[in-house]
Amino acid sequence: LALLQVPNAVGFARLCSDCCPDAAAMAFEPLDKLLKRSGQKRLVLEVAQITVESARKVDSQNEDVRKAEAKALICGYAWVYQRIGQFDQAEQVAAESLRIGENLGWNRNTAFCLKCSGRLRRVRAEQESNGRTATKLLGEAVSIFSWRLNAFPRALSMARHMRRLAIVTACW
């Protein structure tokens, strides 16, 4: 039932983007998981774009608007770019989101950005035919996950998994 209302919510956010950008900047958060579960990557990207563009139109950005922008960058743009193989773009928006989150002192966002960057290196390593390059990428992934274990506890199990992959890759 909620999925049926998504086009209305997106249309409303799009309409609000010019007249009430602070309201439109909040569009991504409530639709995030619903859109991802539906598998509509194009719509995830569209709502993230509405959110980011609207946030940037707000004259006096408050913390909520900046957090909405950062989340749309990492959980919207970067999420889609990872899944369609546009790794460089994913890295760019992850770095932008990280910068915004760190300026706010928002550790949760930092953890998500680092998780994304680590995942990107792992995925690249899995696709890499050169064993040395793959090992280097996996090492970078482990370093990223290890760096912020306290900010994102699930990263500990991911880091252990990355270490195992690095050992297997080194055997190529």
Side-chain angles (χ1 to χ4, degrees):
L1 185 61
L3 197 54
L4 296 174
Q5 295 303 317
V6 168
N8 293 331
V10 173
F12 186 68
R14 200 178 299 115
L15 285 172
C16 289
S17 182
D18 287 328
C19 66
C20 307
D22 52 331
M26 301 301 159
F28 186 78
E29 175 73 33
L31 298 173
D32 177 24
K33 301 297 183 199
L34 182 64
L35 294 175
K36 289 176 181 175
R37 277 194 304 268
S38 75
Q40 299 180 59
K41 290 187 274 297
R42 185 172 297 144
L43 204 49
V44 172
L45 206 52
E46 180 181 354
V47 176
Q49 180 181 11
I50 291 168
T51 296
V52 170
E53 289 176 0
S54 297
R56 292 176 180 173
K57 290 178 186 176
V58 175
D59 290 330
S60 57
Q61 293 182 341
N62 61 35
E63 186 172 308
D64 290 339
V65 170
R66 296 296 287 162
K67 282 184 173 183
E69 178 184 3
K71 183 164 186 175
L73 286 168
I74 194 63
C75 296
Y77 279 101
W79 186 88
V80 171
Y81 289 157
Q82 283 182 43
R83 280 146 185 84
I84 62 174
Q86 294 182 4
F87 302 127
D88 290 337
Q89 293 91 330
E91 286 280 359
Q92 289 172 358
V93 294
E96 188 176 355
S97 179
L98 179 63
R99 182 186 52 75
I100 293 168
E102 285 184 340
N103 287 341
L104 294 171
W106 189 24
N107 288 336
R108 181 180 172 141
N109 187 72
T110 299
F112 278 116
C113 292
L114 294 174
K115 174 187 159 194
C116 175
S117 294
R119 182 180 188 279
L120 284 167
R121 283 170 181 77
R122 178 187 56 83
V123 170
R124 283 181 167 170
E126 290 171 353
Q127 296 176 356
E128 180 59 53
S129 59
N130 181 304
R132 289 181 191 259
T133 303
T135 300
K136 179 181 179 274
L137 288 166
L138 287 172
E140 290 173 6
V142 169
S143 294
I144 289 168
F145 287 132
S146 298
W147 188 60
R148 288 301 297 214
L149 291 177
N150 292 335
F152 200 71
R154 286 181 43 199
L156 180 58
S157 64
M158 290 178 187
R160 288 182 184 138
H161 179 67
M162 293 297 102
R163 284 189 190 104
R164 285 192 296 268
L165 283 175
I167 291 167
V168 170
T169 304
C171 296
W172 284 354

